[in-house]
Amino acid sequence: MEFSKIRADVNNDDTLDYLGAEVSISGIANISSGLLHEHYLQAFIQNDSAGMSIFAMRIDTPFEVGDSLVVRGNIQRYNGLAEVNATSYQVYKNARFVPASKSLSAAIANPAQHLGMLVAGEGNVIEKGNTFNGKFVRISQENKVGSMMVYVSNFHRLYDDFNLDVLRIGDRISVTGIITEYNPEFPNERTYKLFLRTPDDLKYASIPQYYLYLLFGGVVVGSIFIIGWVIVLRRRVDSKTSEIQHSLKEKDVLLREIHHRVKNSLSIVSGLIELQLEGTNSKDARNVLRNSQSRIHSVALIHEKLYQTESISDIILDNYIRDLVEAIHATFSDSKKFVALSFDLEKVILDIDRVIPCGLLINELVVNAFKHAFNKNKEGTPKISLKNRHQNIVLTVSDNGPGLPARFELNKDESLGTMLIDSFTAQLDAQMDIETTSEGTSFIFTFPKNKKM
């Protein structure tokens, strides 16, 4: 019998014309057996133009979507739904194919013409809730009249897998399902529903608001956490920075105090030598003591510069050289009125490890000039030059004395002063050149700006 005749109600008395008649029908299953009810046979078959509900108290032979079914049974109506109560059915697996789905728009416009058929389409959620035997969302399509209830019965074998709670009003979803009619209030009320078969029949056409809320909430919570973490971290960093700065300040004060005490200790040693000088008549002894005193003063002046300036590890070399040479000049009080100092100094900053040998080197050369190049009552001009040359520093100590003796070789001179000059030159990793003429002598030292590791 044709599906339309099974639903026929010519006189519109809400009673099927062939109610109770025994019929034989066939069609393609558009839902697997055992889904809508685990024990009862509740399923739908369809052909190209219509669909039909079939029901039985048990499932004799399971079937899948696309299987062909031949059903024998009686016509009945259950809560408004016209169906065939099957007394027997045959399943033909070899004819399987998936029935084509109809348009959801057409089903919303005329659901009675699509009963038992598979439909698919998209819509926006306008309502959601629960009924006495299931849960649902209602969807509508933009600029179109009508809506459709998308329904899952609580008898559905996969009922708990349908998570409709994540949907919000306004979410756009894509659905595939079977149009059916079911309402206990029939005939006073008629309700058409789209039965979902599996959770895969409902998909999100856009990102659900639920996930947007979760994402926004996660961003907010994450931002709060990050901000809080940054604040805590900043406080810890500030605290540690403050501790480090305090520690560095203490170390700076300590180092300055050490430099000050070293300078004072060296000054005491210089003072003791001065006392020794007053009690010594030997010219040679006085020369040795005066030389030692000059070297001690050279080192003491370095420590004085260190505790008086901002840096406790670097010295402005040009300022130090000027002060050192002027102090040596003052020491030779008998000669200073006949000797005019000359400086040509560029600004150079040098670490203390190299300032000490540099200062002692200058001390040896300038003291020697006062002793040998400028005799008493002889006018002279010691000249100190300090230049930056690319990655090197060039230090020149000159005098306009009589020059070095003929055939003088520095590396063969075994005097203490010469040995010290060699030692300090090596400590600076410097190249030494000596230029001597009838107009005087120049010692030229070239050494790198940066200390080699």
Side-chain angles (χ1 to χ4, degrees):
M1 180 178 287
E2 294 180 359
F3 295 166
S4 59
K5 290 187 68 175
I6 293 174
R7 294 193 180 94
D9 181 12
V10 175
N11 57 6
N12 294 321
D13 61 356
D14 294 320
T15 301
L16 299 176
D17 294 344
Y18 296 96
L19 185 64
E22 186 174 344
V23 295
S24 177
I25 60 173
S26 64
I28 306 299
N30 54 25
I31 187 171
S32 300
S33 59
L35 277 180
L36 297 181
H37 201 289
E38 288 191 66
H39 306 294
Y40 299 159
L41 176 61
Q42 186 177 0
F44 296 86
I45 61 174
Q46 73 175 77
N47 52 38
D48 290 338
S49 59
M52 180 57 62
S53 171
I54 59 174
F55 177 81
M57 294 301 295
R58 67 178 185 273
I59 301 172
D60 292 331
T61 304
F63 53 85
E64 301 294 333
V65 175
D67 289 343
S68 295
L69 273 66
V70 176
V71 182
R72 291 187 62 85
N74 303 102
I75 299 173
Q76 69 176 15
R77 174 166 257 168
Y78 180 73
N79 290 333
L81 177 66
E83 63 183 5
V84 174
N85 187 356
T87 54
S88 66
Y89 65 92
Q90 297 293 322
V91 178
Y92 297 92
K93 299 285 187 180
N94 58 351
R96 178 180 299 177
F97 70 94
V98 178
S101 58
K102 304 298 181 179
S103 166
L104 177 63
S105 300
I108 292 175
N110 193 349
Q113 294 296 319
H114 293 79
L115 285 171
M117 300 190 75
L118 195 64
V119 301
E122 294 183 1
N124 297 321
V125 177
I126 59 173
E127 181 186 1
K128 59 177 293 185
N130 296 292
T131 64
F132 72 95
N133 61 348
K135 52 189 175 184
F136 73 93
V137 294
R138 185 176 295 277
I139 63 174
S140 66
Q141 296 181 313
E142 294 179 0
N143 303 321
K144 293 185 179 180
V145 178
S147 63
M148 178 62 67
M149 177 184 287
V150 179
Y151 175 81
V152 182
S153 167
N154 55 14
F155 291 110
H156 199 296
R157 180 161 54 88
L158 304 176
Y159 180 79
D160 292 334
D161 295 337
F162 289 90
N163 188 10
L164 303 185
D165 293 336
V166 300
L167 296 175
R168 294 291 184 271
I169 304 301
D171 282 347
R172 187 165 184 80
I173 59 175
S174 173
V175 293
T176 301
I178 301 167
I179 300 297
T180 186
E181 182 179 12
Y182 180 85
N183 198 312
E185 304 300 323
F186 179 86
N188 297 323
E189 185 175 342
R190 304 189 71 162
T191 303
Y192 296 97
K193 302 177 182 179
L194 185 149
F195 273 22
L196 295 174
R197 299 169 302 172
T198 69
D200 290 337
D201 281 344
L202 188 151
K203 295 181 173 62
Y204 307 113
S206 61
I207 300 176
Q209 296 180 51
Y210 175 82
Y211 293 125
L212 292 177
Y213 295 152
L214 286 180
L215 179 61
F216 178 75
V219 170
V220 171
V221 172
S223 299
I224 292 173
F225 173 79
I226 292 173
I227 292 172
W229 180 76
V230 170
I231 291 173
V232 171
L233 184 62
R234 180 62 182 270
R235 288 179 178 175
R236 289 181 179 177
V237 170
D238 289 344
S239 176
K240 290 295 182 182
T241 302
S242 179
E243 291 177 7
I244 293 172
Q245 289 176 340
H246 181 70
S247 177
L248 288 175
K249 187 175 181 179
E250 288 182 342
K251 290 179 181 179
D252 182 78
V253 172
L254 178 60
L255 286 173
R256 291 182 189 280
E257 180 64 20
I258 290 173
H259 286 307
H260 182 63
R261 294 194 179 195
V262 169
K263 181 260 180 183
N264 287 345
S265 297
L266 291 173
S267 297
I268 291 172
V269 173
S270 179
L272 293 173
I273 292 175
E274 188 68 32
L275 292 175
Q276 190 68 42
L277 282 168
E278 293 178 0
T280 302
N281 295 321
S282 170
K283 183 178 179 181
D284 291 339
R286 290 180 64 83
N287 285 336
V288 171
L289 289 173
R290 185 66 71 188
N291 288 344
S292 298
Q293 188 181 42
S294 177
R295 293 165 186 143
I296 290 171
H297 182 265
S298 174
V299 177
L301 183 60
I302 292 173
H303 289 280
E304 180 180 352
K305 293 290 184 183
L306 285 172
Y307 78 75
Q308 288 180 345
T309 56
E310 291 184 2
S311 174
I312 56 175
S313 60
D314 296 328
I315 285 180
I316 301 176
L317 184 59
D318 47 307
N319 291 344
Y320 166 71
I321 290 174
R322 185 182 296 274
D323 291 346
L324 174 63
V325 174
E326 288 178 350
I328 296 172
H329 185 208
T331 301
F332 289 87
S333 55
D334 294 339
S335 303
K336 64 181 180 180
K337 59 185 176 181
F338 300 104
V339 176
L341 302 177
S342 175
F343 297 99
D344 183 12
L345 307 174
E346 293 182 1
K347 185 173 182 180
V348 173
I349 296 177
L350 202 63
D351 58 276
I352 183 175
D353 291 337
R354 292 191 295 165
V355 168
I356 290 176
C358 187
L360 291 171
L361 183 62
I362 294 170
N363 180 83
E364 291 301 319
L365 293 171
V366 173
V367 168
N368 283 342
F370 272 98
K371 285 182 178 180
H372 305 295
F374 313 126
N375 294 325
K376 186 176 181 180
N377 299 328
K378 183 181 184 304
E379 294 183 359
T381 304
K383 181 178 180 180
I384 314 298
S385 171
L386 184 67
K387 300 292 182 179
N388 289 292
R389 291 292 182 267
H390 303 294
Q391 299 301 316
N392 293 320
I393 297 170
V394 178
L395 171 68
T396 305
V397 180
S398 306
D399 64 67
N400 59 349
L404 295 174
R407 297 180 181 178
F408 174 81
E409 294 184 33
L410 185 67
N411 56 0
K412 293 183 179 180
D413 189 350
E414 297 181 355
S415 67
L416 177 61
T418 300
M419 289 189 291
L420 288 176
I421 290 172
D422 281 340
S423 175
F424 300 146
T425 301
Q427 290 180 46
L428 284 171
D429 193 25
Q431 175 186 331
M432 179 174 65
D433 296 301
I434 303 174
E435 296 178 358
T436 181
T437 65
S438 59
E439 297 180 356
T441 304
S442 296
F443 288 82
I444 305 167
F445 302 90
T446 304
F447 54 95
K449 288 183 180 180
N450 298 317
K451 181 170 59 176
K452 291 185 178 181
M453 301 301 293

